[in-house]
Amino acid sequence: MAYKVLSKGLFLFFLFIAANACDCEPQKDNPSILPPPIPKPNVIYKDVRTKHGVCVRIYIPKSVEPNQKLPLVVYIHGGAFVILSAFLPPYDDYCYWLAQKANVVVVSIEYRRGKGYPIPIPFNDSWTALKWVASHSSGTGPEELINKHVDFSRVFLLGDSAGGTIVHNMAMRVGLKKPKGLKITGITLMFPYFCGSKPIGSVEPVNATLSNGCGKIWLDAGGAALGLDNTQVNPLVDSKLSQLGCQKVLVIIAEKDYFRDRGFYYYKTLSKSGWKGKAEVMEIQGQEHDFQLYYPYSKDAQDMLQHVISFINN
């Protein structure tokens, strides 16, 4: 199976190759350079270019009844705002598992990124795609699969690393803008990428080199004009955090992840902000940032997936 025995170095090499894929069929001209995606015998999937040009991949369990409505998970992938793709492993694999095991519809967003598409384009593309999804809430949207099979009373956003950052921001926009047809039940942030100009926690104050390097991710991806304390990347200083537009939040952190403390303090700050929802944090001992991408079949990765499924279906 894809990535079961790949070394971490080789895995990262493949991800680098896919860095600037921004079409609905990334790397179509040379697919042999990437590991093959896992087969998808148990889901219907379809790639769609939305009205405004942002691409999404839709996954629906084949077991669904003709007019059965399922919860919706909108997935936003990570990659430091510049690399990786919704249409390639490991995210294509993860969304397949999620649709099948959780019995949900998954819409995975292929936002533009990398050279020529700096911040805030990944955020704005994700918002465009989310509003496109919401256009189906009355059952008259352009994609019949969503019209027929999505229960818009159970909508979840899920993202890892930089995708977790974007997910938080999408929930903030929903809370502040209240777009028609879009109410979010919950969001899951897996190892979210947050930073700030002032060190926090136990690691940042004693490792200036690493701290500066992590901040550089945001700055180099187009965030230099905004700075490290812009609320999009540093929600700890956001006076409007209590307006987060969802009912519940799951934050997943890893013991050895450099961003562990940022994720934990996000959970604590949100809980004390006056926000009316319910937040929980799951810490995975002994693991590093986004470990599930390298070791998707490990016990910790599978336990994490089951926790996410329980969060969605409870």
Side-chain angles (χ1 to χ4, degrees):
M1 292 185 180
Y3 299 112
K4 191 168 185 179
V5 296
L6 275 180
S7 70
K8 188 172 181 180
L10 185 58
F11 176 86
L12 292 173
F13 170 73
F14 286 136
L15 299 189
F16 176 78
I17 290 172
N20 290 307
C22 292
D23 198 356
C24 283
E25 296 183 4
Q27 300 294 320
K28 183 177 179 179
D29 58 333
N30 193 6
S32 63
I33 62 175
L34 290 163
I38 60 175
K40 301 179 183 63
N42 299 315
V43 302
I44 302 164
Y45 73 99
K46 181 179 181 180
D47 295 342
V48 178
R49 186 181 294 277
T50 69
K51 178 180 178 181
H52 299 288
V54 181
C55 298
V56 300
R57 175 165 287 181
I58 303 168
Y59 305 75
I60 298 177
K62 283 186 177 178
S63 60
V64 69
E65 298 294 331
N67 292 301
Q68 183 182 4
K69 302 283 189 178
L70 301 177
L72 170 67
V73 174
V74 178
Y75 195 94
I76 305 179
H77 71 81
F81 309 104
V82 296
I83 62 171
L84 309 190
S85 169
F87 296 154
L88 296 171
Y91 294 111
D92 180 52
D93 301 349
Y94 190 88
C95 290
Y96 167 64
W97 295 328
L98 190 61
Q100 178 187 357
K101 293 184 178 183
N103 198 36
V104 298
V105 175
V106 178
V107 174
S108 188
I109 298 175
E110 177 76 344
Y111 57 84
R112 292 172 296 169
R113 62 216 170 272
K115 187 176 181 181
Y117 304 104
I119 292 168
I121 288 175
F123 293 84
N124 293 341
D125 278 3
S126 297
W127 182 242
T128 295
L130 199 56
K131 290 191 294 182
W132 176 83
V133 169
S135 73
H136 297 78
S137 62
S138 63
T140 59
E143 177 49 58
E144 192 58 24
L145 286 172
I146 297 179
N147 290 330
K148 288 179 62 176
H149 295 301
V150 168
D151 178 356
F152 277 91
S153 70
R154 295 184 290 169
V155 177
F156 295 82
L157 307 185
L158 174 60
D160 68 292
S161 193
T165 316
I166 297 174
V167 162
H168 161 75
N169 280 274
M170 297 304 98
M172 287 300 302
R173 292 192 190 189
V174 169
L176 294 170
K177 297 177 180 291
K178 296 178 172 55
K180 183 179 179 180
L182 185 59
K183 293 184 178 180
I184 300 174
T185 302
I187 65 173
T188 296
L189 311 182
M190 301 189 297
F191 322 109
Y193 168 75
F194 294 131
C195 65
S197 63
K198 296 180 180 179
I200 65 169
S202 60
V203 178
E204 291 183 16
V206 298
N207 196 330
T209 300
L210 186 56
S211 181
N212 292 337
C214 291
K216 197 171 184 294
I217 292 171
W218 172 257
L219 301 177
D220 287 352
L226 302 172
L228 294 177
D229 289 322
N230 183 273
T231 55
Q232 291 179 94
V233 75
N234 188 3
L236 303 184
V237 300
D238 190 351
S239 63
K240 298 179 180 179
L241 187 59
S242 64
Q243 300 301 307
L244 189 73
C246 60
Q247 300 170 25
K248 60 180 184 175
V249 172
L250 169 62
V251 183
I252 301 178
I253 58 178
E255 180 189 14
K256 296 182 179 181
D257 183 2
Y258 177 78
F259 301 112
R260 182 261 179 207
D261 290 346
R262 290 276 171 185
F264 179 76
Y265 280 110
Y266 171 87
Y267 156 74
K268 296 290 287 185
T269 303
L270 177 63
S271 299
K272 296 177 180 179
S273 69
W275 174 63
K276 302 301 182 182
K278 179 181 179 181
E280 63 175 293
V281 64
M282 175 188 188
E283 180 165 9
I284 302 172
Q285 299 296 319
Q287 294 292 358
E288 299 179 349
H289 184 77
D290 256 355
F291 75 95
Q292 81 285 356
L293 301 184
Y294 315 121
Y295 311 111
Y297 302 103
S298 66
K299 183 180 184 302
D300 283 341
Q302 291 299 308
D303 287 349
M304 186 178 83
L305 178 61
Q306 287 302 318
H307 196 96
V308 170
I309 291 171
S310 295
F311 177 78
I312 294 168
N313 287 326
N314 284 344

